[in-house]
Amino acid sequence: MVIHSDMSMLSVLDYSVNVLNVKHVIVTGHYGCGGIIAAMSNQQFGLIDNWLCHIKDVYRLYADQLDAIKNEKERANKLVEYNVIENVYNLCKTSIVQNAWQNGQELGVHGWVYSLETGIITDMNVSAYDNTNMGKVFKFK
């Protein structure tokens, strides 16, 4: 999960991009994710409910498409994919990634989903190497 206020995630990202000069960051989800399944329910799980709200927000964005999927497992797997896509966008919106791009650093952000059953990785085809496709409101100058 790429949550803009998560200082742990931001610290790791900052170190990776600005100290190690990584060239690729991969946001990876996995089919059958318990967090996704929990977020799709109306149950309370405790403190983690606050973290699950980020997944529920992704569900809200894609509710029409997700609600059209009758099979619960297929719906959960599609939410995994949408969640990865949205978290790639979230990562690209960080000042860390945008500053790297603005400074000419070679950096790609990618979204993949891993199948625990088959071992196959599916590329979500949302790779970004600059902020060209980012909404104007999110671009830093």
Side-chain angles (χ1 to χ4, degrees):
M1 294 294 299
V2 178
I3 300 167
H4 296 106
S5 58
D6 181 346
M7 294 307 292
S8 178
M9 181 278 300
L10 291 169
S11 297
V12 170
L13 180 64
D14 183 65
Y15 185 78
S16 300
V17 171
N18 293 317
V19 176
L20 299 178
N21 293 309
V22 299
K23 301 220 181 304
H24 300 278
V25 178
I26 301 168
V27 176
T28 307
H30 64 91
Y31 295 120
C33 176
I36 293 286
I37 294 165
M40 289 175 54
S41 78
N42 295 109
Q43 289 182 286
Q44 284 191 340
F45 296 95
L47 189 58
I48 196 170
D49 292 328
N50 298 289
W51 183 77
L52 294 175
C53 278
H54 297 284
I55 300 170
K56 289 177 183 271
D57 285 338
V58 173
Y59 195 106
R60 179 182 47 81
L61 292 173
Y62 296 94
D64 290 342
Q65 297 93 318
L66 291 166
D67 290 343
I69 301 171
K70 300 304 175 201
N71 181 286
E72 192 171 331
K73 181 179 178 183
E74 290 175 20
R75 188 176 335 114
N77 285 344
K78 183 52 86 173
L79 181 54
V80 167
E81 294 174 356
Y82 288 144
N83 192 56
V84 165
I85 290 167
E86 290 302 317
N87 280 279
V88 166
Y89 295 147
N90 288 344
L91 197 64
C92 291
K93 293 178 211 173
T94 65
S95 58
I96 297 162
V97 171
Q98 287 197 54
N99 286 335
W101 287 337
Q102 189 172 20
N103 294 330
Q105 186 172 341
E106 182 182 336
L107 179 64
V109 180
H110 314 281
W112 294 354
V113 176
Y114 177 70
S115 170
L116 300 172
E117 292 178 6
T118 66
I120 295 174
I121 294 172
T122 302
D123 185 342
M124 293 291 99
N125 296 312
V126 292
S127 294
Y129 299 91
D130 58 38
N131 66 2
T132 303
N133 294 321
M134 188 179 300
K136 184 177 176 181
V137 72
F138 296 108
K139 292 182 182 181
F140 294 128
K141 291 185 177 188

